[in-house]
Amino acid sequence: MLRSLVGSEMCIRDRYGSNLTAPHSSSSKPENLLVFDQSKYWVNASHPELKSPHLPSDGSAGLAGQAKAYVPQRCLATSKAPPGLKCRMHLYHHGCAGGWDSVFYNGATQHSGFNEWAEENDIIVIYPAMSSWGVTEQSLSGCWDGYGQTGSDYSLKSGAQISVIRQMVAELAAV
């Protein structure tokens, strides 16, 4: 547990500053790791001429149908949070071999240390999940596109995977 808290601490403090409350080992609440329907964010991304013919035709861009999010107790809609509490959002992009049902994905969502930091500091952590897709070793392993497997616009707003993530973040940030 200590090792995962150190890695997550470095990331969280780099992103949100050093004025954060350090978690204790039992900070997170397993019941606050929620499963949500990620497929509602799938899009038929713009600029089809830039897309790979190997992309799934369902608009998923290789993302799984479900994903997880850790929502701190004070950020839940049912909580009695102080008036004006604004919860922040952190998007956790896992590495390769991180498909929905993988040991890696489940380990990252439960044991990376991010949930503990999130609980203590009112940060919602979104864990988008990939699936096995495409024809490359990386895409079949559930990797995010890092070099154009989804199309030449993979790193732009119009990119297949980025379009899905942008929709997800936009909707969840509005809640």
Side-chain angles (χ1 to χ4, degrees), residues 24 35 58 65 89 114 138 172:
H24 47 84
V35 174
D58 59 9
M89 183 188 320
F114 282 92
Q138 291 80 12
L172 297 173

Side-chain angles (χ1 to χ4, degrees), residues 28-109:
S28 70
K29 297 170 177 29
E31 64 274 15
N32 289 7
L33 183 61
L34 310 175
V35 174
F36 67 94
D37 178 8
Q38 187 173 251
S39 69
K40 73 181 199 172
Y41 304 108
W42 294 355
V43 295
N44 292 319
S46 59
H47 302 289
E49 71 279 6
L50 301 176
K51 303 298 182 266
S52 166
H54 303 294
L55 269 173
S57 61
D58 59 9
S60 69
L63 278 80
Q66 294 181 303
K68 294 179 183 177
Y70 184 83
V71 183
Q73 191 64 41
R74 292 174 10 129
C75 299
L76 289 170
T78 59
S79 77
K80 296 188 185 331
L85 174 71
K86 298 275 189 205
C87 294
R88 295 175 276 193
M89 183 188 320
H90 184 82
L91 184 68
Y92 180 99
H93 271 103
H94 59 74
C96 286
W100 165 252
D101 58 355
S102 71
V103 170
F104 180 85
Y105 180 77
N106 287 315
T109 63

Side-chain angles (χ1 to χ4, degrees), residues 5-27:
L5 284 175
V6 170
S8 56
E9 175 182 8
M10 291 173 66
C11 180
I12 292 288
R13 286 194 187 275
D14 182 63
R15 173 66 182 94
Y16 301 104
S18 60
N19 192 19
L20 297 172
T21 302
H24 47 84
S25 62
S26 60
S27 292

